[in-house]
Amino acid sequence: MLIDNHNRKINYLRLAVTDRCNLRCNYCMPESGIDFSKKDTLFTLEELSRLSSILVSQGIDKIRITGGEPFVRKDLMVLIRNLSNMKGLKDISITTNATLIGPYITELKALGIKNINVSMDAINRETFKKITRRDEYDIVYDNIIRMINEGFNVRINFIALTGQNTQDILPMLALAKNYNVCVRYLEEMPFNGGSRHFEGNTWDYKRILSHIKEAYPEYEEIPSEATSTSMNYRIPGFKGTFGIIPSFSRTFCGSCNRLRITATGDVITCLYAQPSMNIREILRGESSEENVVKQILQAIGSRAKTGFEAQNRQEGTYTNSMTTIGG
């Protein structure tokens, strides 16, 4: 069991498999992209499987596959097949932009993968195109509906971007009226890879919830797991639900059970912290399993208590793009 220095059980790994993405969302990276990692600095699929196995043996029982966009890796399903057979791993989840997942939906269902988070920041076609700088709306929407109809637990992650998409908050929520889907609204975060200056949020979680309340005053809060980052709600008559994630306000830090490992091996114990170390060469070295466990224990043994404390420990926290951090 992995226990941090604040007596929090760490059982959830967010594992990035690539820093590349086929979209160019304007809150994540410049239009020209970022300096993506060279192939030899990325984990191989065999290394990702071995690293996962080591961490599962230490108490990790949930792994979320992230990117970049995970399905940019053509061999991703090899890893997911390996994970699906891993004893002790209870939940395999995926975060995706849903542009490339279509050919794999049937096999994902057969492997027992249930939880899919889709990043989609607009229900209006033109707004979607302006934000992503790509014309992929139809395929994203169609894949979302297909996964819902196939019985996946789909959660749409919608970042409220001042001056860009807040007019889509209520229209996006209408999806939950007709479909069994959870629409989650996130505060904007500063990890934009230098694409623009970030000064904070005018649409924080309180304003988002207030905006929804004006249209649906009868919403009801529903119970959430203690480690949940979202506050979750139901509107009478809706098939689905909605959630609010205070990703910049950081009200959920006290129950954090997450560990992040980037596609190049950086170990990140808090989204707002600099990497604790790089595990890639340790995994590739001698006595790798023993040394990986030792380094992971060291990393979680010196975690900041909150995202604000992590932010205050060092400067330059906001220089990265979310695609390099792993979501």
Side-chain angles (χ1 to χ4, degrees):
M1 187 177 296
L2 299 173
I3 305 292
D4 75 3
N5 50 316
H6 304 288
N7 204 35
R8 295 175 294 202
K9 180 182 176 182
I10 311 302
N11 67 324
Y12 177 12
L13 172 65
R14 297 181 66 96
L15 183 64
V17 298
T18 182
D19 61 350
R20 295 179 182 273
C21 187
N22 58 325
L23 301 184
R24 290 292 181 271
C25 297
N26 62 31
Y27 60 85
C28 185
M29 67 174 86
E31 187 170 5
S32 59
I34 60 173
D35 292 330
F36 295 111
S37 302
K38 296 180 180 179
K39 187 175 180 180
D40 63 350
T41 66
L42 298 173
F43 284 124
T44 66
L45 265 294
E46 187 276 332
E47 288 170 340
L48 287 167
S49 295
R50 194 152 55 89
L51 177 60
S52 298
S53 179
I54 292 170
L55 292 176
V56 168
S57 75
Q58 297 301 304
I60 293 293
D61 59 21
K62 176 179 180 178
I63 294 179
R64 177 171 293 280
I65 302 299
T66 72
E69 166 49 42
F71 288 95
V72 166
R73 286 196 73 151
K74 307 295 185 184
D75 51 359
L76 177 64
M77 291 305 297
V78 175
L79 172 63
I80 295 177
R81 291 177 202 126
N82 290 341
L83 293 179
S84 69
N85 291 319
M86 199 167 288
K87 187 177 180 181
L89 185 55
K90 299 176 182 177
D91 183 11
I92 306 163
S93 308
I94 300 170
T95 294
T96 175
N97 61 32
T99 57
L100 304 173
I101 198 172
Y104 309 104
I105 290 174
T106 299
E107 184 177 2
L108 289 170
K109 183 177 180 179
L111 290 173
I113 310 303
K114 279 288 189 181
N115 298 314
I116 308 288
N117 286 7
V118 178
S119 302
M120 187 180 187
D121 304 302
I123 196 66
N124 175 273
R125 183 188 306 274
E126 289 306 311
T127 304
F128 178 91
K129 188 174 180 179
K130 287 178 182 177
I131 292 173
T132 64
R133 303 188 181 107
R134 297 292 187 271
D135 189 12
E136 299 281 356
Y137 179 89
D138 287 337
I139 194 166
V140 170
Y141 185 86
D142 289 349
N143 280 333
I144 287 174
I145 301 304
R146 180 184 167 194
M147 287 189 289
I148 294 170
N149 290 334
E150 288 284 350
F152 287 88
N153 175 28
V154 178
R155 296 186 294 194
I156 296 174
N157 287 344
F158 177 112
I159 299 176
L161 303 164
T162 302
Q164 294 199 72
N165 67 348
T166 53
Q167 72 280 359
D168 274 22
I169 289 175
L170 296 179
M172 180 68 85
L173 184 56
L175 271 180
K177 182 175 184 178
N178 301 311
Y179 295 98
N180 184 21
V181 63
C182 180
V183 179
R184 305 197 303 178
Y185 299 96
L186 291 77
E187 297 173 335
E188 185 179 1
M189 291 172 281
F191 309 107
N192 57 43
S195 60
R196 56 200 174 110
H197 186 62
F198 180 86
E199 293 182 348
N201 284 306
T202 56
W203 280 84
D204 65 6
Y205 74 99
K206 294 178 182 178
R207 185 177 179 186
I208 297 170
L209 189 57
S210 177
H211 181 63
I212 293 173
K213 187 176 183 179
E214 289 179 8
Y216 301 104
E218 71 277 20
Y219 73 81
E220 305 164 345
E221 188 166 4
I222 54 179
S224 304
E225 294 182 6
T227 55
S228 175
T229 58
S230 63
M231 301 171 288
N232 300 301
Y233 305 91
R234 185 181 304 280
I235 298 171
F238 276 45
K239 291 183 178 180
T241 60
F242 76 93
I244 310 288
I245 301 180
S247 42
F248 188 68
S249 298
R250 289 163 264 181
T251 63
F252 45 72
C253 292
S255 60
C256 181
N257 65 337
R258 293 158 176 76
L259 178 70
R260 287 175 171 81
I261 299 181
T262 71
T264 58
D266 284 342
V267 177
I268 299 176
T269 58
C270 173
L271 190 57
Y272 288 85
Q274 293 293 328
S276 302
M277 67 189 66
N278 188 285
I279 207 79
R280 184 186 64 244
E281 295 309 316
I282 296 172
L283 185 68
R284 292 174 178 176
E286 295 182 5
S287 305
S288 58
E289 181 170 348
E290 178 184 341
N291 289 330
V292 164
V293 172
K294 179 180 178 180
Q295 293 300 317
I296 293 294
L297 288 172
Q298 181 178 318
I300 67 169
S302 57
R303 293 180 84 204
K305 189 172 185 178
T306 68
F308 295 104
E309 180 183 320
Q311 178 183 332
N312 291 333
R313 283 186 180 183
Q314 70 278 303
E315 297 179 357
T317 308
Y318 297 162
T319 58
N320 289 333
S321 164
M322 186 63 81
T323 193
T324 66
I325 298 172

